[in-house]
Amino acid sequence: MTMKYTKDHEWLKIEDGDVAVIGITDYAQNALGDLVYVELPKMGRQVKKGEHFAVVESVKTAAEVYTPVTGEVVGINDNLSGDPELLKKSIEDGWIAKIKMNNPEEVSAMLDKAAYDDFLKTVE
Amino acid sequence: MKTTALHSAHLALGAKMGEFAGYDMPLYYKEGVLKEHEWTRAHAGLFDVSHMGQIMVTGPGACAFWQHVTPGAYDKIPDGRAKYSVLPNEDGGIIDDLIVSRLGPETFFAVVNAGCKDKDIPWLRSHLKFDTDMEVWEDRALLALQGPEAERALRNVLGVDTSDMPYMWVIEDKGLLISRLGYTGEDGFEISIPQRDAVHIWDQFLAHESVKPVGLAARDSLRLEMGYPLYGHDIDDSTSAIEAGLQWIVAKDHTDYIGAKTILDHLQNGVSRQRVGIRLIDKGIAREGSELRDEQDRKIGTMTSGGFSPTLKQSIGQGYIETAFATVGQKIFVNVRGNNIAAEITELSFVPAKTKSMKKKAA
């Protein structure tokens, strides 16, 4: 499965059919700067597409992270609580949460890599 | 947007720029806020603060003028001494906070906030008497050099020896006005420079091994660790100097200044809210605007500045709280996005100041 993206700079990767792994893109990481805290969602929480479900805090600001899909939080990356900078390391280390999707079709509306890269060219 | 004389120097350094008080200013440079903060605490950070207002007041009435527009006693300090103060309004609120330096019996130099200068200058002018002149220095840059290695960098770069110069003193040397003070809690200097020399001196400082450029973001985290108030956030025209915990700037036996009625009343009868330091005990980051709550979830105050302390690696801040809760060690909650996070009241300063003594060494 390839990566999908949102205009809010989240990335999503499908794992095990209907489970989506979600994180924030390099662009968002660079815009935020030094990360100091990640507020994770609670396990089992039901989230709706477009709802904010996590907050990434940098020295400068707090950024809400929105879920591109509807479903249940079935995994959270607890390592981020102790070391928020892990978020920048890789997809394997820096994911935020896993969501078991109610409607995997929602993913098809997201941007692919090429479309996201084109979108980045239009933002400063 | 307005710019300072160092604007192209910031761009050349790859600074992330942002608007501050109508100026396009460097928020941070390539290494980022945390590294700049730590560098300043360990070595010396160089800040462009040329957006601030520099004002000269001269004449036989200059001292009386400052004693009318601030609660400070400028007749009791020696020439060469700088004093922190505020400009109270008629109701005792704060129009701005500032540093006023007595350069001579009839010569005073003041530095005011960038965001306030457009209201400060007409206010000050309206209180000038015929025997006093005021000149706004539009053609001067202002650099802050802050950190334990600032004294050495100043000596190496400008050839100015300040080893005998106490904290909160000012000297004039080589056409520069050098004040030993700052907004970081470190030893350091603010240097007023003719604009035409600003880029040259900036570059010379940056060529020194101890010095790196530091932006406004780290300037904010550095001052937050010291518990210094930021105008427009922690103090404003609705807060009195006493509510703000600035009793120490109010001169004894000085009662004849603007706003004195409220300030003296607050001094004598106490205040219903006070500015305090706040430290989060549980995880999270609390920022400006977060409500302070008691155990019954009742609102008892508001955070006016808050963020991550790079030195303590935890969330700190300041705010106003009902006086009954304004005791160091008092447990409270800070509401962040609907969640109450356990916190406690602390002293305003979270990190000990490393500034020099204010006393002159005996000759």
Side-chain angles (χ1 to χ4, degrees):
Chain A
M1 167 71 196
T2 50
M3 306 278 293
K4 291 283 198 171
Y5 302 87
T6 71
K7 289 186 176 179
D8 294 317
H9 310 290
E10 287 95 14
W11 57 257
L12 176 148
K13 193 183 165 206
I14 302 285
E15 184 186 81
D16 302 336
D18 60 354
V19 174
V21 189
I22 296 167
I24 62 170
T25 64
D26 288 354
Y27 176 87
Q29 296 164 19
N30 290 333
L32 283 166
D34 304 307
L35 302 183
V36 294
Y37 183 66
V38 180
E39 190 180 290
L40 296 165
K42 294 226 164 38
M43 284 288 277
R45 179 173 150 193
Q46 298 290 329
V47 293
K48 263 207 199 99
K49 180 185 169 185
E51 184 175 284
H52 94 259
F53 74 111
V55 180
V56 178
E57 300 260 9
S58 72
V59 175
K60 290 171 288 171
T61 188
E64 292 179 342
V65 186
Y66 303 93
T67 170
V69 291
T70 303
E72 179 189 341
V73 177
V74 293
I76 51 173
N77 185 358
D78 260 330
N79 293 336
L80 294 176
S81 323
D83 184 4
E85 284 280 318
L86 264 186
L87 200 134
K88 293 178 177 170
K89 209 173 151 198
S90 63
I91 286 170
E92 288 71 30
D93 292 303
W95 61 281
I96 294 173
K98 296 183 182 183
I99 292 174
K100 190 173 163 59
M101 295 181 282
N102 293 356
N103 177 14
E105 275 304 299
E106 283 173 343
V107 174
S108 56
M110 294 177 67
L111 306 175
D112 61 16
K113 178 84 166 78
Y116 179 66
D117 286 346
D118 281 344
F119 169 68
L120 284 185
K121 285 176 199 151
T122 67
V123 294
E124 193 241 332
Chain B
M1 228 185 308
K2 289 185 272 188
T3 56
T4 71
L6 293 160
H7 191 253
S8 6
H10 302 314
L11 296 181
L13 288 164
K16 165 75 182 170
M17 305 296 284
E19 190 268 347
F20 185 85
Y23 285 80
D24 192 36
M25 296 298 288
L27 303 179
Y28 52 93
Y29 299 86
K30 282 190 171 153
E31 293 193 23
V33 187
L34 280 182
K35 289 228 165 66
E36 291 174 17
H37 182 111
E38 286 159 5
W39 183 268
T40 306
R41 292 258 180 263
H43 305 283
L46 184 65
F47 306 72
D48 176 17
V49 289
S50 306
H51 55 321
M52 299 186 81
Q54 303 184 53
I55 295 170
M56 270 294 205
V57 175
T58 51
C63 185
F65 167 76
W66 287 112
Q67 304 205 133
H68 180 56
V69 297
T70 78
Y74 291 93
D75 56 346
K76 298 210 170 69
I77 58 170
D79 298 343
R81 179 84 150 75
K83 251 174 107 70
Y84 173 77
S85 197
V86 300
L87 301 177
N89 59 30
E90 299 286 355
D91 301 323
I94 300 174
I95 296 171
D96 197 5
D97 63 340
L98 76 173
I99 300 275
V100 181
S101 301
R102 179 179 165 131
L103 304 182
E106 297 185 2
T107 312
F108 290 76
F109 174 63
V111 176
V112 303
N113 279 304
C116 294
K117 59 187 181 188
D118 289 346
K119 64 173 180 175
D120 291 352
I121 292 163
W123 171 261
L124 292 172
R125 281 206 197 286
S126 73
H127 290 97
L128 280 179
K129 299 225 167 86
F130 65 94
D131 58 354
T132 314
D133 285 321
M134 185 174 126
E135 189 194 345
V136 179
W137 276 4
E138 306 278 10
D139 55 349
R140 304 278 290 198
L142 192 66
L143 299 186
L145 180 68
Q146 299 280 303
E149 293 169 10
E151 181 183 299
R152 190 167 69 90
L154 192 76
R155 182 168 54 242
N156 296 347
V157 172
L158 294 180
V160 177
D161 182 4
T162 57
S163 50
D164 286 333
M165 182 179 176
Y167 179 52
M168 298 303 285
W169 284 74
V170 188
I171 52 169
E172 290 176 84
D173 199 331
K174 301 179 170 63
L176 310 173
L177 209 48
I178 302 170
S179 312
R180 189 168 214 149
L181 47 82
Y183 202 38
T184 63
E186 298 297 327
D187 182 27
F189 304 87
E190 286 186 2
I191 309 158
S192 170
I193 302 172
Q195 228 162 47
R196 61 179 180 278
D197 301 328
V199 171
H200 176 62
I201 291 180
W202 170 267
D203 287 343
Q204 278 189 309
F205 272 126
L206 289 188
H208 192 277
E209 56 182 7
S210 295
V211 181
K212 285 190 182 182
V214 179
L216 293 186
R219 183 168 161 85
D220 191 51
S221 55
L222 288 157
R223 71 93 196 166
L224 190 62
E225 288 186 342
M226 304 317 299
Y228 298 156
L230 175 61
Y231 190 86
H233 301 262
D234 311 305
I235 50 175
D236 61 28
D237 48 22
S238 74
T239 58
S240 84
I242 311 307
E243 290 173 319
L246 302 172
Q247 293 83 333
W248 57 276
I249 66 167
V250 178
K252 301 259 181 305
D253 312 321
H254 183 30
T255 56
D256 186 23
Y257 55 89
I258 298 164
K261 191 167 170 286
T262 305
I263 290 172
L264 295 173
D265 173 64
H266 283 183
L267 258 185
Q268 202 157 30
N269 301 318
V271 287
S272 59
R273 58 170 187 171
Q274 272 175 266
R275 188 169 65 99
V276 292
I278 301 152
R279 184 180 72 86
L280 259 56
I281 297 167
D282 282 345
K283 283 200 164 176
I285 305 284
R287 300 181 192 268
E288 179 177 359
S290 302
E291 283 190 5
L292 310 179
R293 305 226 176 133
D294 69 5
E295 288 211 299
Q296 282 74 46
D297 205 30
R298 186 176 66 89
K299 185 184 174 187
I300 50 174
T302 306
M303 198 171 230
T304 51
S305 286
F308 180 78
S309 159
T311 305
L312 302 177
K313 312 279 182 231
Q314 61 180 189
S315 182
I316 61 168
Q318 50 182 276
Y320 285 84
I321 197 163
E322 291 177 7
T323 298
F325 294 89
T327 314
V328 171
Q330 169 74 44
K331 299 285 188 287
I332 59 160
F333 295 96
V334 182
N335 194 274
V336 179
R337 291 181 290 270
N339 298 320
N340 277 348
I341 302 178
E344 70 175 357
I345 302 302
T346 63
E347 303 283 356
L348 280 162
S349 105
F350 292 87
V351 172
K354 287 192 267 169
T355 47
K356 302 276 165 193
S357 161
M358 280 196 226
K359 296 214 169 65
K360 277 218 157 169
K361 280 180 197 155

